[in-house]
């Protein structure tokens, strides 16, 4: 059976039109952001699930002294590509590096490479972006808005373009009570802000940022909304599609359960809490968690390109897909904490500095007090000991970074987000039985504890490079920390009781001495309470 026949059979239950694999048969794609967390998983799944692909051009720039071709070679040796290397190694040859940079005019493409892309590419997936929540306005505008504009300008010259998929975020419209699967007016004209960024330096832009951002908590969500507007405006020139994932988690199943290579976002919090560094976070305990595993998101991007290209021609508005899970997995932050607390004891990290007994809090006052006593003061104490030992200090600097990270994320964890997901949910119904298994889109039957365990172990192995063979030693270490933690709590609470009693005793002794001195042997009267 040919690839096209297999794809048609897989999509037989989806109604009119070819299945996903059949639609991608013979196509060439351009992917930006392929070296990122999401990008790697997306490339891997394309190579395995879409055997009929002709080429996948990956836009990469030189970085840290490595040429783009070398970066791709090194990337393909990572565990995320292990299944492709073993199951279909020839598919790796379909990845072709295109040297370019979003920050350069024309993406810095050589004329020959630009002509090649214009001639061959029919699907663009634009996933490149600056994900730093703390990014200043100038760099965020250049990476997320100007970069998107340049990719759109390039794609406008593609003779065979069928779909331009733009990867956005589900949190880029903070003023919406319920985020519908549609585009919204931008907070300011994107082209005006790009002109502003061209004429003003970063310091001047940063001084204007508070007024420009409005309801946005940071420059990331602000610039992603502006980029959405640019994509929507391009609909008259090309078939555009917008995909909005929520908080992206490590892989649920594929290509390796728990795979992750970044500590940005929630995994940084998991790592900090598991290492005993983070003791408190400001979170709405009863709010639903809005997350999506990276492999589910990658599958949805592939399906959205197919679905949007087939159905988008019939629609007057840009197809938008909200990739969230809160309406399928009704789990609160408090419930996640309880499961996570159990797991960090069973599968601890190496080098835990203190027993991981942190908690989430609804009260800002309680949170700030815990941060002061259990983040800030211990950091200064440890750095003082290191300074006396003539060692390099680091804890105060680390805790400042932790505090910045907590403050950036708490905007997303202290409110209930609501998303319309009808279009994204309809993707599964349009797939045939085989492609539903191959391109999993649902998390309705998710085993939360098993998924969190895989993600924790994935963070341990792939981010911290801690082998599973070290788990027994780490468990012994955490048991020792538990004993020390309990003794410290006993001493702390004992001191809270003893010190006031000691001062009361001193006060009464002093009072008795004064009375004796003033009144002689007349005892200080004690009036019984009736």
């Amino acid at each position: 059976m040919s690839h096209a026949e297999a794809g048609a059979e897989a999509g037989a239950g989806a109604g009119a039109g070819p299945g996903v694999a059949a639609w991608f048969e013979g196509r060439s794609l351009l992917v930006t952001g392929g070296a990122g967390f999401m990008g790697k998983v997306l490339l891997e799944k394309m190579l395995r699930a879409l055997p009929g692909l002709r080429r996948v051009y990956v836009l990469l720039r030189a970085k840290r002294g490595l040429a783009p071709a070398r970066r791709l070679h090194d990337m393909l040796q990572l565990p995320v590509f292990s299944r492709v290397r073993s199951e279909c190694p020839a598919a790796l040859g379909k990845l072709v590096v295109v040297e370019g940079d979003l920050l350069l005019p024309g993406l810095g493409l050589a004329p020959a490479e630009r002509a090649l892309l214009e001639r061959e590419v029919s699907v663009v997936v634009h996933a490149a972006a600056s994900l730093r929540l703390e990014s200043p306005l100038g760099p965020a505008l250049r990476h997320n808005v100007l970069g998107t504009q340049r990719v759109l300008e390039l794609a406008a010259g593609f003779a065979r373009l069928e779909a331009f998929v733009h990867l956005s975020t589900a949190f880029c419209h903070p003023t919406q009570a319920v985020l519908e699967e549609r585009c919204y007016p931008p907070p300011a004209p994107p082209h005006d802000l790009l002109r502003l960024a061209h004429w003003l330096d970063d310091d001047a832009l940063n001084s204007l940022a508070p007024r420009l951002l409005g309801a946005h908590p940071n420059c990331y969500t602000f610039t992603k909304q502006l980029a959405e507007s640019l994509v929507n405006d391009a609909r008259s020139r090309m078939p555009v599609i917008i995909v909005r994932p929520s908080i992206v988690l490590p892989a649920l199943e594929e290509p390796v359960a728990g795979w992750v290579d970044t500590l940005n976002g929630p995994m940084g919090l998991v790592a900090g809490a598991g290492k005993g560094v983070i003791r408190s976070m400001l979170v709405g305990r009863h709010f639903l968690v809005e997350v999506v595993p990276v492999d589910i998101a990658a599958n949805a991007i592939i399906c959205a390109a197919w679905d949007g290209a087939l159905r988008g021609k019939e629609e007057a508005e840009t197809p938008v897909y909200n990739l969230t899970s809160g309406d399928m997995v009704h789990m609160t932050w408090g419930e996640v904490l309880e499961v996570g607390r159990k797991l960090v004891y069973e599968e601890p990290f190496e080098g835990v500095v203190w027993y991981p007994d942190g908690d989430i809090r609804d009260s800002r006052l309680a949170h700030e007090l815990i941060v002061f006593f259990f983040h800030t003061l211990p950091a200064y104490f440890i750095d003082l000991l290191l300074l006396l030992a003539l060692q390099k200090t680091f804890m105060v600097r680390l805790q400042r970074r932790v505090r910045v990270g907590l403050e950036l994320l708490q905007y997303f964890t202290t409110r209930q987000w609501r998303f319309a997901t009808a279009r994204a949910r309809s993707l599964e119904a349009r797939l045939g039985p085989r492609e539903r298994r191959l391109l999993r889109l649902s998390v309705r039957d998710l085993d939360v504890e098993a998924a969190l365990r895989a993600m924790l172990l994935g963070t341990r192995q792939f981010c911290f490079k801690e082998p599973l063979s070290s788990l027994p030693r780490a468990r012994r270490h955490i048991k020792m920390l538990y004993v020390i933690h309990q003794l410290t709590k006993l001493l702390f609470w004992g001191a809270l009781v003893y010190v006031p009693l000691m001062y009361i005793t001193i006060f009464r002794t002093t009072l008795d001495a004064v009375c004796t001195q003033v009144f002689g042997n007349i005892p200080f009267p004690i009036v019984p309470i009736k």
Side-chain angles (χ1 to χ4, degrees):
M1 183 181 293
S2 70
H3 295 323
E5 289 169 341
E9 179 181 322
V20 179
W23 187 81
F24 277 97
E25 180 89 24
R27 294 188 183 278
S28 292
L29 283 70
L30 171 65
V31 176
T32 72
F37 174 43
M38 177 78 79
K40 294 187 187 78
V41 177
L42 179 62
L43 290 176
E44 192 277 342
K45 193 55 182 281
M46 284 178 171
L47 295 179
R48 280 195 302 111
L50 307 174
L53 280 180
R54 186 169 182 273
R55 291 279 187 276
V56 180
Y57 296 99
V58 185
L59 186 76
L60 290 176
R61 60 187 173 90
K63 188 175 182 181
R64 294 172 186 163
L66 295 178
R70 180 66 189 185
R71 289 183 64 198
L72 180 63
H73 174 272
D74 292 348
M75 187 173 76
L76 296 181
Q77 310 312 309
L78 296 174
V80 66
F81 289 98
S82 59
R83 285 188 62 178
V84 177
R85 292 197 302 268
S86 62
E87 296 176 11
C88 47
L92 294 173
K94 297 179 180 181
L95 295 181
V96 179
V97 170
V98 176
E99 184 169 2
D101 190 333
L102 295 183
L103 299 182
L104 297 177
L107 303 180
L109 293 174
E113 288 186 326
R114 186 183 186 98
L116 175 66
L117 298 177
E118 290 176 346
R119 186 170 62 250
E120 290 197 6
V121 170
S122 60
V123 177
V124 176
V125 179
H126 177 45
S130 171
L131 304 180
R132 292 177 55 219
L133 298 183
E134 72 276 18
S135 175
L137 182 56
L141 281 170
R142 288 190 289 272
H143 282 92
N144 297 341
V145 186
L146 183 58
T148 298
Q149 177 178 281
R150 286 172 171 162
V151 178
L152 286 167
E153 290 170 350
L154 174 69
F158 292 179
R160 305 171 58 188
L161 187 66
E162 294 271 355
F164 182 103
V165 182
H166 172 70
L167 197 60
S168 185
T169 172
F171 304 104
C172 65
H173 298 278
T175 59
Q176 301 301 319
V178 178
L179 183 65
E180 303 289 343
E181 290 180 299
R182 65 180 182 85
C183 292
Y184 294 86
H191 294 287
D192 289 351
L193 287 171
L194 288 178
R195 281 191 288 269
L196 200 65
H198 177 73
W199 290 109
L200 298 180
D201 60 23
D202 285 354
D203 290 338
L205 282 173
N206 288 337
S207 66
L208 294 173
R211 179 173 296 182
L212 292 173
L213 263 57
H216 284 271
N218 52 62
C219 297
Y220 170 68
T221 63
F222 177 68
T223 54
K224 292 300 281 184
Q225 185 178 2
L226 294 175
E228 274 197 11
S229 178
L230 287 178
V231 174
N232 186 47
D233 290 344
R235 178 163 176 75
S236 60
R237 309 192 305 276
M238 66 185 77
V240 295
I241 297 155
I242 294 174
V243 177
R244 297 181 184 137
S246 56
I247 298 173
V248 180
L249 294 182
L252 184 60
E253 294 176 333
E254 297 183 302
V256 181
W259 187 81
V260 61
D261 70 347
T262 177
L263 291 178
N264 286 336
M267 301 321 296
L269 296 176
V270 170
K275 291 282 188 178
V277 175
I278 297 178
R279 316 294 302 173
S280 178
M281 183 176 177
L282 193 61
V283 175
R285 184 180 295 270
H286 303 294
F287 293 153
L288 292 178
V289 175
E290 287 292 355
V291 295
V292 58
V294 66
D295 48 340
I296 301 293
N299 292 340
I301 292 168
I302 293 170
C303 293
W306 160 76
D307 182 64
L310 291 178
R311 293 203 297 171
K313 297 174 183 177
E314 307 165 1
E315 300 181 7
E317 297 184 349
T318 298
V320 179
Y321 301 81
N322 289 340
L323 306 184
T324 65
S325 60
D327 58 339
M328 289 191 291
V329 182
H330 293 272
M331 193 166 191
T332 65
W333 286 107
E335 292 167 338
V336 168
L337 172 73
E338 292 308 312
V339 176
R341 193 197 300 274
K342 170 177 175 286
L343 293 178
V344 295
Y345 304 153
E346 296 176 357
E347 319 288 359
F349 294 119
E350 293 181 24
V352 176
V353 298
W354 195 257
Y355 187 67
D357 193 38
D359 203 349
I360 59 177
R361 289 169 176 84
D362 299 295
S363 166
R364 180 176 291 275
L365 176 60
H367 167 71
E368 293 294 343
L369 287 173
I370 294 297
V371 166
F372 178 73
F373 283 108
F374 295 99
H375 287 193
T376 306
L377 288 184
Y380 277 99
F381 178 70
I382 292 172
D383 272 4
L384 176 61
L385 295 179
L386 291 172
L387 188 64
L388 294 175
L390 303 179
Q391 300 294 317
K392 186 177 180 180
T393 60
F394 69 95
M395 278 302 296
V396 171
R397 185 170 64 254
L398 174 62
Q399 280 297 343
R400 284 173 180 162
R401 291 177 59 190
V402 167
R403 185 175 184 86
V404 169
L406 291 176
E407 289 175 351
L408 288 168
L409 286 172
Q410 68 192 24
Y411 179 87
F412 304 100
T413 59
T414 55
R415 63 197 65 219
Q416 183 60 68
W417 299 86
R418 302 188 184 280
F419 305 100
T421 58
R423 183 187 291 272
R425 299 287 165 255
S426 72
L427 289 174
E428 185 179 22
R430 288 174 56 78
L431 298 178
R434 177 176 172 274
E435 287 189 331
R436 286 183 195 174
R437 294 190 297 272
L438 184 64
L439 297 164
R440 179 178 176 180
L441 298 174
S442 175
V443 291
R444 289 188 185 88
D445 56 348
L446 180 66
D447 183 334
V448 174
E449 182 171 332
L452 290 178
R453 187 184 300 274
M455 293 171 186
L456 184 67
L457 292 174
T459 304
R460 195 183 195 278
Q461 295 177 84
F462 305 122
C463 289
F464 289 129
K465 312 300 180 186
E466 298 173 1
L468 297 183
S469 60
S470 69
L471 277 170
R473 183 175 69 251
R475 289 174 183 138
R476 290 192 297 270
H477 179 67
I478 207 167
K479 286 178 181 177
M480 180 188 69
L481 288 178
Y482 174 76
V483 174
I484 296 173
H485 177 67
Q486 295 301 330
L487 288 174
T488 303
K489 282 175 39 177
L490 182 64
L491 290 172
F492 177 76
W493 291 113
L496 283 183
V497 174
Y498 173 75
V499 170
L501 288 177
M502 182 182 68
Y503 277 105
I504 289 173
T505 302
I506 293 173
F507 173 73
R508 292 187 61 182
T509 303
T510 303
L511 187 60
D512 285 342
V514 170
C515 289
T516 302
Q517 186 70 25
V518 174
F519 300 105
N521 293 325
I522 302 175
F524 186 77
I526 299 177
V527 180
I529 299 174
K530 296 182 179 180

